[in-house]
């Protein structure tokens, strides 16, 4: 029991500390690739610190939902982070849920964030909430198909069991089903984190913004929780990609030597995936909003083909 508690505390600290760093790395790499100086890698930490010290402005027309939404976004993302194997194959809370728990908890946080955008009573909030729900309705099935493809080989929906099976059969990352599922989940990662070509987090134009439209009325610590929760969610989706499909460097149990090796390998894979995300963002333009479902339909088809190919081959 004490070992599981220590593992939970360690992974929780790692999750909360690394998530803003990955956002800073992506911003810096993108700026360098565009020949700009850009913000520093530690800028997300400064932004969170500034927001946590500011006072909040709450709309008079809002209810308890407006207050509960940031807490639910942060809490659900953090809880999901403890269900996903990060440093070792054994997730701290793997016994309390698997793939379905991950999808539903992320969906719960998104649901409350959409309600928070509607609760403020502004036109931008309703616009962003409507767009967010449309994208989530298309992205969640694709994500489930991609993860179920790997779960079939492990005969379990528990992510720890899936990663253990992947470690024992590391050659499977060359299988067509694995490649198709990885591509589907990568498209879902781009959509869920609001990145180009689906969304542009750096703009506040009415015709383009999705996630930003829901949080325009938030400020201070509430906005800090939302931004931190979004960074944690991004890290979770990236962790699923690198640990479920490419479990190199993961050990089967917690230990001092295993933690050191696992942390180094984990950070290296995160940086490589961050470079891939930056390359996709800088080589593509923002899509029209009505063409985003077509991109997510491609992810769904890739996930379905991946699942079917596991039975054919």
């Amino acid at each position: 029991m004490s070992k599981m508690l220590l593992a939970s505390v360690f992974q929780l600290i790692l999750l909360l500390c690394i998530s803003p760093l990955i956002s800073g790395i992506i911003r810096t790499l993108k700026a360098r690739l565009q020949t700009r100086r850009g913000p520093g890698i530690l800028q997300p930490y400064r932004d969170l610190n500034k927001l946590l010290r500011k006072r909040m402005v709450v709309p008079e027309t809002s209810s308890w939902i407006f207050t509960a939404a940031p807490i639910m976004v942060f809490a659900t993302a953090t809880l999901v982070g403890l269900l996903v194997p990060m440093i070792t194959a054994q997730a701290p809370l793997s016994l309390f849920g698997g793939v379905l728990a991950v999808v539903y908890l992320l969906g719960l946080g998104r649901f409350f964030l959409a309600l928070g955008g509607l609760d403020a009573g502004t036109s931008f909030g309703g616009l962003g909430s409507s767009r967010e729900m449309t994208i989530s309705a298309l992205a969640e099935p694709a994500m489930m198909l991609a993860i179920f493809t790997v779960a079939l080989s492990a005969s379990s929906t528990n992510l720890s069991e899936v990663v253990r099976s992947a470690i024992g059969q590391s050659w499977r990352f060359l299988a067509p089903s694995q490649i198709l599922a990885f591509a589907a989940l990568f498209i879902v990662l781009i959509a869920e984190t609001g990145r180009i070509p689906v969304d542009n987090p750096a703009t506040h134009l009415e015709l383009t913004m999705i996630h930003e439209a829901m949080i325009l009325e938030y400020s201070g610590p509430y906005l800090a929780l939302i931004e931190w929760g979004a960074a944690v969610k991004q890290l979770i989706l990236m962790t699923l990609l690198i640990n479920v499909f490419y479990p190199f460097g993961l050990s089967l149990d917690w230990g001092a030597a295993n933690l050191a090796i696992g942390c180094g390998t984990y950070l290296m894979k995160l940086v490589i995936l961050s470079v891939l995300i930056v390359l996709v963002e800088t080589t593509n333009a923002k899509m029209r909003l009505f063409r985003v479902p077509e991109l997510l339909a491609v992810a769904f088809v890739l996930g379905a083909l991946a699942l079917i190919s596991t039975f054919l081959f």
Side-chain angles (χ1 to χ4, degrees):
M1 185 66 180
S2 60
K3 186 177 181 180
M4 187 178 72
L5 180 61
L6 291 175
S8 301
V9 172
F10 179 82
Q11 183 156 321
L12 179 62
I13 295 174
L14 185 67
L15 183 72
L16 297 179
C17 294
I18 294 296
S19 53
L21 179 63
I22 297 302
S23 298
I25 290 175
I26 292 176
R27 292 181 189 176
T28 302
L29 289 175
K30 186 177 179 180
R32 295 293 188 272
L33 199 59
Q34 295 174 346
T35 64
R36 296 186 292 108
R37 181 177 181 181
I41 294 179
L42 301 180
Q43 186 60 42
Y45 295 102
R46 302 187 188 101
D47 294 339
L48 290 175
N49 182 49
K50 179 180 66 176
L51 291 173
L52 289 172
R53 291 187 288 108
K54 281 190 172 183
R55 296 182 61 184
M56 292 180 294
V57 178
V58 180
E60 296 180 354
T61 57
S62 63
S63 64
W64 64 269
I65 296 177
F66 186 86
T67 303
I71 300 174
M72 288 298 298
V73 169
F74 184 77
T76 52
T78 304
L79 184 59
V80 170
L82 298 178
L83 295 172
V84 177
M86 293 178 63
I87 305 302
T88 68
Q90 181 61 40
L93 300 182
S94 60
L95 296 177
F96 298 95
V99 175
L100 295 178
V102 169
V103 175
Y104 289 151
L105 284 173
L106 291 178
L108 180 63
R110 182 188 299 109
F111 174 72
F112 268 89
L113 184 59
L115 286 182
L118 291 171
D119 193 57
T122 62
S123 58
F124 279 103
L127 179 145
S129 298
S130 175
R131 293 176 177 178
E132 181 73 12
M133 289 296 99
T134 301
I135 290 178
S136 66
L138 299 172
E140 287 180 359
M143 180 168 64
M144 294 180 69
L145 287 175
I147 300 178
F148 281 155
T149 300
V150 188
L152 279 176
S153 61
S155 301
S156 174
T157 57
N158 188 296
L159 287 174
S160 293
E161 294 296 331
V162 170
V163 171
R164 288 196 189 96
S165 176
I167 292 175
Q169 303 176 9
S170 58
W171 57 270
R172 288 182 62 87
F173 75 94
L174 295 173
S177 61
Q178 302 289 309
I179 297 175
L180 291 172
F182 180 88
L185 194 56
F186 182 79
I187 295 176
V188 172
L189 167 65
I190 297 296
E192 289 283 353
T193 55
R195 297 197 169 276
I196 296 175
V198 175
D199 191 14
N200 187 0
T203 184
H204 284 81
L205 297 177
E206 178 183 355
L207 296 177
T208 60
M209 62 181 177
I210 300 175
H211 175 76
E212 297 296 322
M214 295 185 293
I215 63 176
L216 283 178
E217 299 299 319
Y218 285 98
S219 59
Y222 284 167
L223 182 57
L225 287 177
I226 293 176
E227 295 291 350
W228 206 349
V232 170
K233 180 181 178 180
Q234 174 183 257
L235 181 61
I236 291 169
L237 294 175
M238 294 176 69
T239 302
L240 286 175
L241 274 171
I242 61 178
N243 283 351
V244 171
F245 293 97
Y246 303 98
F248 304 109
L250 290 176
S251 58
L252 297 176
D253 198 4
W254 293 84
N258 295 336
L259 290 180
I261 297 174
C263 286
T265 309
Y266 179 62
L267 291 175
M268 181 187 68
K269 291 190 292 185
L270 283 176
V271 171
I272 294 174
L273 184 57
S274 299
V275 172
L276 181 59
I277 292 173
V278 171
L279 289 175
V280 170
E281 278 200 294
T282 52
T283 54
N284 289 274
K286 171 72 175 66
M287 297 179 64
R288 294 179 60 187
L289 182 64
F290 295 107
R291 294 197 61 188
V292 172
E294 298 178 8
L295 178 64
L296 295 177
V298 171
F300 180 83
V301 171
L302 290 174
L305 290 176
L307 191 61
I308 295 172
S309 63
T310 57
F311 296 101
L312 296 180
F313 303 102

